Amino acid sequence: MIYYVVFSLLAFLILVSVGVKREKQIFIEILAIVIVVLFQGLRWENGTDWDSYYGMFMYPSEPIYYNEYGWWLLNDIVRRFSGESYTAMLIVQSALIVLLNIKFAKYVGLNNITSVIFGCFVGSIFPVRFALASIIVILGFKHIVERNFKKFFLYVIVASTIHIATLLIIPFYFVPRKRFSLVMMLFMYFASIMIGFASSSVVSFLDSINSLLAIGSFDGDIQEKIDGYMYGGIAEYSIRSVSSIILSFCSGAFFIWLYHYFGNHYFSKASSTQEEYQNNMYHTLLNLYIFGMYFNRTVAFAIPYLSRIGILASGGVGMLLLLGMEKKFRNKSQLWLAFFVYIVYKFILFNQTLHGQYESLFIPYHSVI
C-alpha cells in the first residue's frame, strides 16, 4: 500500500544522501520534503480527530483570548487566502512541522537532514496540532542550554496558543543540567516504573487538586481541559500484553544506556566553542529525555493523556540517536550500514503504528486527488 511506498522512498533517499556533496543533499532534502508534505497534505478523511479539525477550519468560532488563539488564527489566515480549502491548511500545517524540524536539526549540527524529514513521516504519519506545538517547544530547548528562561518561556507561550497543554512543560526547564552516571539514570528509571504501578494514589492526589480548581471557579474551557487530561482516554498499558509492557521497559533501559554511551564517548570533550555547545545541547536533550521518560512511566498507567507531557519533554530524543550515529560512524560504508539498521528499527515502529489500535484512522488511504 501507499504507506510502504512512501516509507521505502524516504528510506532510499536517506541511504543515497550519505556521503554525497552538499548540492546533491539539498536536492534530496527538497524531494523528501515534497513527498512528505504532499502525502500528508493531500489526504482526506484520514488521521486523528479529522472531523473536529475539519470543523474548526470550516466553521470557526473565535476563542477567548487565552484558549489556543494561535491555532484559530492560523486556520483563519489559510482559510481566507485559500478560498476555504482545507487541503491548503493540511499542506501548510505539514510544511511548517517539517521545516521547523529541519531548523532544529541544523541548529544541533546534524548532517543527514533527510533522516529528520523521514522522522516527520514515521513518527507522526498524519500530524495534529500537538505536533506543531511540540516542535515550537523543542526549538525553545536551545534556550535551556543557554539558561535563558525568558526566551524559553516565550516559545512555550507561543506553542500554548496552538495547544494549551504545552504550558505543562515549563517545569522541565529546571531539570538538572548535570551529567548523571548510568547507574543513577537506570535507578531513577526503574523507580519511576515502580511509582507508576502505584499510580492510583497519584491519581487520588491529582483528583483532590482538580476538585480544588473546580471549586475555585476556573473558566469552564480550562476546567474541561483539566478533566480531559485527568480522566479521558484509555491507558496504553491496559490494552497491551504483559510481554509487550516488559519489552517496552527493557527498550527504555537499553536506550538510556545507548545515549549515555554516546554522551560519554563522543560528547564529553570539545576542541572548539561549536563542539562545546553541541555537547551541552546533547546532554541537555539527554536529561530532558530521561526525566520525560520518568514522568511518562509515573503517570502512564493512570493518566494517559497527561503522559504526553513526558513525550514532549523527550521530543529531542530522535536527535540523540542520529547525532550519536554520525559521531561514531565516520566511515561512509559504516554510516550507511548504521542508517540501514536505523531504517529497519523505524520500520518496526512504523508498522506497529500503522496496524495498531488506530488502524482505521490510516487504512484505507483517501486522497483529494
Side-chain angles (χ1 to χ4, degrees):
M1 60 182 71
I2 188 171
Y3 295 94
Y4 295 123
V5 172
V6 173
F7 183 97
S8 300
L9 286 173
L10 295 173
F12 174 74
L13 292 178
I14 290 176
L15 298 176
V16 169
S17 65
V18 175
V20 301
K21 294 182 179 180
R22 185 58 192 156
E23 295 78 12
K24 291 183 178 180
Q25 276 192 345
I26 293 174
F27 173 77
I28 293 170
E29 290 164 14
I30 293 173
L31 182 57
I33 292 171
V34 170
I35 291 172
V36 172
V37 171
L38 290 184
F39 176 78
Q40 294 178 337
L42 296 179
R43 74 183 192 272
W44 196 257
E45 296 182 345
N46 283 108
T48 306
D49 298 332
W50 170 271
D51 292 335
S52 59
Y53 282 111
Y54 182 76
M56 289 179 194
F57 182 83
M58 298 301 297
Y59 312 104
S61 57
E62 187 171 357
I64 50 181
Y65 71 96
Y66 58 77
N67 192 11
E68 298 166 347
Y69 188 83
W71 180 250
W72 174 86
L73 184 62
L74 179 61
N75 277 266
D76 185 65
I77 292 172
V78 175
R79 186 175 57 255
R80 292 175 184 272
F81 283 91
S82 67
E84 298 188 350
S85 170
Y86 187 55
T87 297
M89 178 60 193
L90 293 176
I91 289 175
V92 168
Q93 179 186 354
S94 176
L96 281 173
I97 293 171
V98 172
L99 294 175
L100 291 178
N101 270 278
I102 291 174
K103 181 177 181 180
F104 183 70
K106 290 183 176 180
Y107 181 80
V108 301
L110 192 70
N111 293 318
N112 195 321
I113 301 298
T114 309
S115 63
V116 176
I117 302 168
F118 171 76
C120 291
F121 166 67
V122 175
S124 182
I125 298 175
F126 295 133
V128 292
R129 61 195 173 102
F130 187 74
L132 178 57
S134 296
I135 186 56
I136 295 173
V137 170
I138 292 170
L139 282 170
F141 284 173
K142 64 183 180 181
H143 298 301
I144 297 180
V145 180
E146 298 165 358
R147 303 190 178 188
N148 190 324
F149 179 76
K150 290 181 179 179
K151 289 186 177 180
F152 171 73
F153 183 73
L154 180 61
Y155 272 84
V156 175
I157 291 299
V158 171
S160 71
T161 68
I162 305 295
H163 201 298
I164 200 169
T166 55
L167 288 173
L168 297 175
I169 196 66
I170 293 174
F172 281 87
Y173 175 85
F174 302 99
V175 163
R177 295 176 176 85
K178 63 177 292 185
R179 299 184 183 183
F180 294 95
S181 68
L182 179 60
V183 172
M184 180 57 70
M185 286 182 178
L186 292 175
F187 172 78
M188 290 189 291
Y189 174 66
F190 288 113
S192 68
I193 293 174
M194 294 299 102
I195 295 173
F197 279 113
S199 55
S200 58
S201 59
V202 178
V203 174
S204 298
F205 173 71
L206 293 174
D207 187 28
S208 300
I209 295 177
N210 187 36
S211 299
L212 291 174
L213 291 176
I215 293 172
S217 302
F218 261 99
D219 179 88
D221 288 332
I222 291 182
Q223 189 61 44
E224 183 179 354
K225 290 284 185 184
I226 294 171
D227 290 341
Y229 279 103
M230 286 197 62
Y231 310 121
I234 301 173
E236 176 192 5
Y237 294 111
S238 67
I239 57 175
R240 292 171 59 178
S241 65
V242 174
S243 59
S244 175
I245 295 172
I246 294 175
L247 182 61
S248 174
F249 291 159
C250 293
S251 173
F254 168 77
F255 280 106
I256 288 175
W257 167 81
L258 181 63
Y259 300 143
H260 180 269
Y261 169 81
F262 284 150
N264 263 8
H265 288 77
Y266 306 105
F267 297 93
S268 59
K269 297 179 181 180
S271 57
S272 65
T273 303
Q274 183 178 1
E275 279 192 357
E276 182 180 0
Y277 194 86
Q278 188 181 49
N279 292 352
N280 290 335
M281 171 61 78
Y282 182 92
H283 286 281
T284 297
L285 292 177
L286 176 56
N287 285 359
L288 286 168
Y289 165 67
I290 60 176
F291 276 89
M293 186 183 293
Y294 302 156
F295 181 83
N296 183 286
R297 297 303 193 210
T298 300
V299 304
F301 284 94
I303 318 173
Y305 284 166
L306 192 58
S307 65
R308 69 169 61 184
I309 303 306
I311 296 172
L312 176 55
S314 304
V317 66
M319 298 297 172
L320 296 178
L321 182 57
L322 294 170
L323 283 170
M325 288 166 52
E326 288 189 345
K327 283 280 189 176
K328 180 173 178 59
F329 302 106
R330 300 285 187 170
N331 182 279
K332 181 178 178 180
S333 59
Q334 290 179 339
L335 189 57
W336 190 91
L337 182 59
F339 272 114
F340 180 80
V341 174
Y342 171 78
I343 289 168
V344 172
Y345 165 67
K346 284 294 184 180
F347 178 78
I348 294 171
L349 299 181
F350 175 73
N351 200 55
Q352 288 176 345
T353 301
L354 187 60
H355 296 290
Q357 181 182 359
Y358 303 107
E359 181 179 22
S360 59
L361 298 178
F362 307 117
I363 302 173
Y365 177 83
H366 299 288
S367 172
V368 296
I369 299 177

